Amino acid sequence: MYNQEKVDDFIQRSEEVIQNHDKDGAFHIISAEIEACEDKYLNEYITALNFIRSEKVLDWIEKNTLRIIDVGLSWGHLAASSQFNWDRATKWLEKGRPLSLIALDALVFCTTIGERLNQSPWMRQIQPKLIDNPRPEIVAARLQRYLGADSVPRTKDAVRKIIENIYDARH
């Protein structure tokens, strides 16, 4: 049975860890607890890592792909909060699911401009961007190639949003 109190308690403890440790120390403590949590809590527990904002989190996601069963937006949110870049995105697209879905969601978050309606207050506050800022035509071409391998509605929708975002950003 899912226990929201357990999740809330973990998030509260994580906030205290982040306040009382440097980024590396906080990452080590929080990620160790997430690795020990039951898989059914994984999607909720990872939200604590958003505040670390480090590429180490992206490495951690890669290391834990076998545990990722339900790829909710929380994974893309986490990747976008963690210094996500185009180089990593292309690697994840090549590896396929679940990493490719996380990459697409992160790319949506990283290419959204303006008011970021329907995004969390955290995304509105940090306004993540791809650090290496590739040219729009490179992103669009790679995403179109990806659609050849995975063209389910969720993927098509994400690719459409990303391409709209990258070309809207130029105007």
Side-chain angles (χ1 to χ4, degrees), residues 46-121:
I46 63 166
T47 60
L49 291 173
N50 277 297
F51 306 104
I52 302 295
R53 302 204 59 203
S54 166
E55 204 170 343
K56 285 183 177 189
V57 173
L58 300 172
D59 296 335
W60 181 88
I61 291 171
E62 287 179 10
K63 205 173 92 183
N64 284 277
T65 54
L66 293 177
R67 291 185 69 193
I68 303 171
I69 295 158
D70 176 21
V71 186
L73 280 179
S74 57
W75 289 97
H77 193 279
L78 178 59
S81 297
S82 303
Q83 309 299 317
F84 199 63
N85 62 50
W86 179 244
D87 183 52
R88 178 90 59 162
T90 57
K91 286 179 193 169
W92 286 11
L93 289 171
E94 289 167 15
K95 290 185 179 205
R97 293 177 181 220
L99 289 175
S100 59
L101 293 178
I102 297 169
L104 291 172
D105 289 342
L107 287 168
V108 170
F109 285 120
C110 288
T111 59
T112 300
I113 56 171
E115 294 190 33
R116 293 178 177 264
L117 300 174
N118 303 320
Q119 288 191 10
S120 72

Side-chain angles (χ1 to χ4, degrees), residues 90-171:
T90 57
K91 286 179 193 169
W92 286 11
L93 289 171
E94 289 167 15
K95 290 185 179 205
R97 293 177 181 220
L99 289 175
S100 59
L101 293 178
I102 297 169
L104 291 172
D105 289 342
L107 287 168
V108 170
F109 285 120
C110 288
T111 59
T112 300
I113 56 171
E115 294 190 33
R116 293 178 177 264
L117 300 174
N118 303 320
Q119 288 191 10
S120 72
W122 175 247
M123 284 291 123
R124 284 184 234 143
Q125 178 186 337
I126 67 168
Q127 298 193 10
K129 305 256 184 280
L130 287 173
I131 330 180
D132 43 2
N133 197 22
R135 291 192 333 264
E137 49 278 359
I138 291 172
V139 175
R142 179 62 187 96
L143 293 177
Q144 291 296 341
R145 270 196 331 274
Y146 179 74
L147 282 177
D150 184 356
S151 62
V152 299
R154 174 183 176 173
T155 303
K156 286 179 182 176
D157 188 48
V159 168
R160 181 189 51 74
K161 283 181 192 170
I162 296 162
I163 291 173
E164 285 175 7
N165 289 347
I166 59 177
Y167 285 107
D168 283 351
R170 295 182 94 182
H171 295 105

